Amino acid sequence: MEQTRIELLQRMPIFGALREDSLLVLLQHARVVEVQAGDYFFRENDRADSMFVLQTGRVAVIKGWRGRDFVLHSLVAGDCFGEMALMDMFPRSASVRAEEDCRAVEIGPDGLLRLFERDVEQFALIQMNIGREVCRRLRATDELLFRARMDQTPADSQTLFIAA
């Protein structure tokens, strides 16, 4: 099972170029979370200190506004969410609800600390990768905001994604 999780992580940009031994360090300190369809991994404004890598299932990223919930994006197995928490330690910026029964690997600060203690270069690499992913999502959001201000609808609704 560990090899399956390593292969899943290796396909993701956030874990790009990380060696297998480094991924093992992260996984040794990670936990597997199972969430039933309709339940939440977390809700907007919850305390945040971990990210999730979706192994199975599908989730909706939801933002509340004026008492209503709006789905920003759907994620499937192989996607990750919550990575901003590993950088800024602020409350969750959105909710993530399981649309199907889900299993995810939760990676928290303990694994990152152990990776830092073991191999600072690999730690720096994952931090840079997370930063790149957050920047990619910010650029997409900036583009949508610009288009909205110019009274244009996005050509591709798939570009909207605000990291939770």
Side-chain angles (χ1 to χ4, degrees):
M1 185 59 103
E2 216 54 55
Q3 189 59 39
T4 302
R5 289 188 182 116
I6 287 171
E7 291 169 5
L8 174 69
L9 296 180
Q10 287 175 328
R11 291 191 299 267
M12 301 178 69
I14 284 183
F15 302 101
L18 261 70
R19 296 187 314 262
E20 188 170 322
D21 62 311
S22 296
L23 294 173
L24 276 171
V25 169
L26 291 175
L27 289 172
Q28 287 170 348
H29 298 279
R31 68 184 189 113
V32 176
V33 178
E34 294 190 6
V35 177
Q36 300 300 310
D39 289 341
Y40 287 79
F41 278 88
F42 52 78
R43 292 183 184 264
E44 188 174 354
N45 296 317
D46 282 355
R47 183 178 157 277
D49 66 355
S50 63
M51 68 172 282
F52 295 83
V53 177
L54 197 57
Q55 277 188 279
T56 62
R58 184 172 50 89
V59 300
V61 178
I62 300 166
K63 185 84 173 156
W65 189 66
R66 294 187 177 177
R68 294 182 55 204
D69 287 340
F70 295 88
V71 174
L72 300 178
H73 198 69
S74 291
L75 302 173
V76 296
D79 288 329
C80 65
F81 52 92
E83 67 284 343
M84 285 179 8
L86 293 175
M87 296 189 79
D88 68 9
M89 304 301 274
F90 278 91
R92 298 290 184 188
S93 64
S95 300
V96 174
R97 181 182 64 217
E99 298 296 293
E100 303 171 354
D101 290 349
C102 294
R103 179 180 302 117
V105 177
E106 182 178 15
I107 298 173
D110 290 346
L112 289 174
L113 176 60
R114 297 300 175 259
L115 183 58
F116 173 77
E117 292 169 344
R118 185 167 192 258
D119 190 330
V120 72
E121 288 180 11
Q122 289 283 283
F123 172 80
L125 183 58
I126 194 169
Q127 291 295 314
M128 288 188 318
N129 288 347
I130 290 171
R132 285 185 190 109
E133 182 64 16
V134 170
C135 288
R136 182 190 66 76
R137 293 175 182 181
L138 178 59
R139 285 180 187 275
T141 302
D142 283 348
E143 180 65 23
L144 286 172
L145 179 60
F146 175 76
R147 289 179 186 205
R149 286 190 175 165
M150 298 295 118
D151 290 328
Q152 293 181 355
T153 51
D156 178 8
S157 62
Q158 293 290 30
T159 60
L160 176 58
F161 182 76
I162 298 174

